[in-house]
């Protein structure tokens, strides 16, 4: 899934180049790293689902990363993750995948430091998914984050746990309670499930969505190396995330714990968290002079940026926009993007 907008990483993440297409850690773009993470797993050609606006960017990144065969599925407009995954499942069926084929659903904008641990978790999840569970990967929470889904563990299954309850993005109080209880994991937003099982669940909980996605794939047309879904059919598709549309409702969801240095790099402070820091706790990229500066992230793209006597800041310089924010306020960056949108 490579169709998100990544607004909290503005001004580096832009409409025409959202975060999944950025090289934030100097190790290839997040999309390229996501595909590289599959190497060694017994997968068929990955299906990349993105907005048609980004097709050449994506094609170029795939070419540069030497991942081998991929299928590029284009959405005329984003309808969130539940339809995107349905398109993927239907496309896999259309391309001849067996009915019981498993679908490994990954977000193109996550960082996973320990690839071996990730692959081991995927392998552990296979029998559960084959039995018909919708499997999600669960991260041990370290803070009362409100930007994630929470999973309450139920009884132990072979390789994980049955899910007692799935709660997408709780409020701060609830998240704090969940953290304290020790019974909850974060939903990583990655899933393993039988394609037919997911489509069946969607048909049950969101039949309009399934019908629109089926029509969009039936009417899909090849264009160069891309597959364009039928725009008219897809425009009739309701918008919803897999979490609200399916995971919160389905009785057979399982969770497999994952400890692999996972981060969804939702914001500048989370990028700071996972990056290597200098002895003052700074993460400095580009042409930067940092004097008496601590625990700060400075990113310069075009000009020399100097900081003196500051701490706990994020400073991001690009050609046409500069962001300065306190690290603990950086969730609000998306509001800037909303204002910009309103101004046209
Ligand atoms: N193709 C496509 N089309 N991809 C999409 C679309 C769409 O319309 N919308 C989102 N995506 C992609 C994003 O690029 C991202 O890779 C992934 O789907 C997840 O979407 P987000 O919008 O980033 O979801 P979220 O972060 O708010 O929440 C999800 O992820 C969290 C972990 O990062 C949920 O699954 C949460 O429960 C979870 O904790
Ligand atoms: Mg996300």
């Amino acid at each position: 899934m490579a169709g998100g907008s990544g607004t909290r990483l503005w001004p580096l993440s832009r409409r025409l180049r959202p975060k999944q297409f950025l090289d934030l850690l100097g190790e290839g773009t997040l999309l390229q790293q996501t595909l590289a993470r599959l190497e060694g797993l017994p997968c068929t050609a990955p299906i990349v689902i993105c907005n048609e606006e980004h097709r050449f960017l994506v094609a170029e990144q795939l070419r540069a990363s030497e991942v081998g065969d991929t299928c590029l599925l284009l959405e005329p407009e984003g309808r969130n993750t539940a339809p995107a995954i349905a398109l993927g499942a239907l496309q896999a069926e259309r391309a001849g995948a067996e009915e019981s084929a498993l679908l490994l659903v990954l977000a193109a904008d996550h960082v996973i430091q320990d690839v071996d641990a990730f692959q081991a978790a995927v392998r552990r999840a296979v029998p559960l998914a084959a039995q018909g569970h919708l499997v999600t990967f669960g991260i041990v929470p370290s803070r009362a984050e409100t930007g994630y889904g929470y999973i309450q563990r139920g009884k132990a299954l072979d390789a994980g746990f049955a899910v007692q309850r799935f709660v997408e993005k709780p409020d701060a109080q609830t998240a704090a309670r969940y953290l304290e209880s020790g019974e909850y994991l974060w939903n990583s937003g990655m899933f393993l499930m039988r394609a037919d099982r997911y489509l069946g669940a969607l048909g049950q909980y969101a039949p309009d969505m399934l019908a629109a996605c089926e029509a969009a794939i039936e009417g899909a047309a090849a264009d160069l190396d891309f597959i364009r879904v039928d725009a008219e059919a897809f425009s009739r598709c309701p918008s919803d995330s897999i979490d609200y549309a399916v995971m919160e409702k389905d009785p057979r969801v399982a969770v497999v714990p994952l400890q692999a240095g996972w981060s969804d790099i939702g914001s500048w402070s989370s990028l700071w968290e996972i990056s290597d820091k200098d002895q003052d706790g700074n993460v400095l990229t580009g042409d930067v002079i940092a004097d008496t500066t601590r625990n700060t992230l400075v990113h310069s793209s075009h000009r020399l940026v100097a900081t003196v006597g500051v701490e706990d800041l994020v400073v991001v310089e690009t050609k046409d926009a500069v962001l300065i924010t306190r690290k603990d306020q950086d969730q609000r960056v998306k509001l800037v993007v909303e204002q910009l949108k309103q101004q046209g």
Side-chain angles (χ1 to χ4, degrees):
M1 299 185 290
S5 52
T7 51
R8 283 172 299 166
L9 286 185
W10 183 88
L12 212 55
S13 178
R14 296 291 176 97
R15 185 175 65 91
L16 290 176
R17 190 181 286 267
K19 72 168 171 177
Q20 58 271 30
F21 308 127
L22 298 174
D23 181 356
L24 290 171
L25 297 163
E27 297 158 6
T29 70
L30 296 178
L31 170 67
Q32 289 171 329
Q33 286 184 271
T34 304
L35 291 159
R37 201 172 291 144
L38 294 170
E39 207 184 307
L41 285 175
C43 301
T44 54
I47 303 172
V48 179
I49 310 171
C50 70
N51 193 283
E52 63 179 20
E53 191 171 41
H54 299 131
R55 64 192 180 281
F56 294 119
L57 189 60
V58 173
E60 180 49 41
Q61 294 199 356
L62 297 182
R63 208 171 302 134
S65 68
E66 299 171 0
V67 284
D69 277 354
T70 48
C71 165
L72 244 167
L73 207 53
L74 305 182
E75 295 168 313
E77 56 204 328
R79 282 290 191 261
N80 212 327
T81 52
I85 296 166
L87 294 175
L90 291 162
Q91 170 61 28
E93 273 186 4
R94 196 169 78 144
E98 282 169 32
E99 206 169 89
S100 59
L102 299 185
L103 202 62
L104 175 63
V105 178
L106 302 178
D109 55 353
H110 292 169
V111 166
I112 294 181
Q113 279 156 341
D114 186 345
V115 174
D116 291 340
F118 160 75
Q119 294 201 351
V122 172
R123 289 176 195 277
R124 272 203 306 278
V126 165
L128 283 173
Q131 285 159 24
H133 287 95
L134 304 176
V135 182
T136 143
F137 297 90
I139 314 287
V140 177
S142 51
R143 56 180 191 276
E145 170 69 52
T146 54
Y148 294 150
Y150 283 69
I151 293 165
Q152 187 181 21
R153 279 183 322 218
K155 73 170 198 294
L157 302 170
D158 325 335
F161 301 90
V163 168
Q164 185 71 28
R165 199 148 58 114
F166 186 106
V167 184
E168 179 63 359
K169 302 196 178 117
D171 60 32
Q173 256 187 334
T174 313
R177 235 182 334 110
Y178 288 173
L179 181 68
E180 209 171 305
S181 79
E183 283 174 31
Y184 286 81
L185 298 164
W186 283 336
N187 175 38
S188 66
M190 304 187 288
F191 308 98
L192 185 74
M193 52 211 180
R194 284 177 59 144
D196 60 346
R197 169 72 168 84
Y198 175 70
L199 294 171
L202 204 61
Q204 192 177 345
Y205 309 124
D208 295 355
M209 191 181 280
L210 179 64
C213 291
E214 280 171 342
I217 285 290
E218 262 159 42
D223 171 12
L224 301 173
D225 291 336
F226 309 111
I227 298 177
R228 282 175 191 276
V229 307
D230 186 289
E232 198 274 321
F234 199 57
S235 72
R236 280 184 272 118
C237 185
S239 177
D240 206 358
S241 69
I242 179 178
D243 315 289
Y244 287 121
V246 176
M247 292 295 163
E248 278 198 352
K249 303 196 172 94
D250 199 274
R252 281 191 84 197
V253 182
V255 58
V256 168
L258 175 69
Q259 268 192 310
W262 171 92
S263 166
D264 88 332
I265 328 192
S267 61
W268 286 109
S269 56
S270 56
L271 180 61
W272 175 83
E273 293 276 352
I274 62 159
S275 298
D276 294 334
K277 298 166 196 66
D278 68 16
Q279 70 277 12
D280 296 316
N282 298 320
V283 175
L284 311 174
T285 346
D287 198 3
V288 178
I289 297 175
D291 179 80
T292 48
T293 294
R294 287 153 53 89
N295 300 330
T296 287
L297 181 148
V298 188
H299 181 106
S300 119
S301 304
H302 291 84
R303 286 162 285 182
L304 167 66
V305 175
T307 56
V308 180
V310 298
E311 52 187 26
D312 298 318
L313 291 189
V314 169
V315 180
V316 181
E317 179 269 348
T318 66
K319 206 168 184 178
D320 58 351
V322 176
L323 168 75
I324 302 173
T325 176
R326 270 174 39 185
K327 248 184 11 241
D328 62 359
Q329 295 288 315
D330 71 340
Q331 297 287 333
R332 300 174 58 84
V333 170
K334 64 168 178 266
L335 302 177
V336 176
V337 178
E338 265 161 41
Q339 269 197 37
L340 283 170
K341 262 192 212 152
Q342 276 164 20
Q343 291 168 8

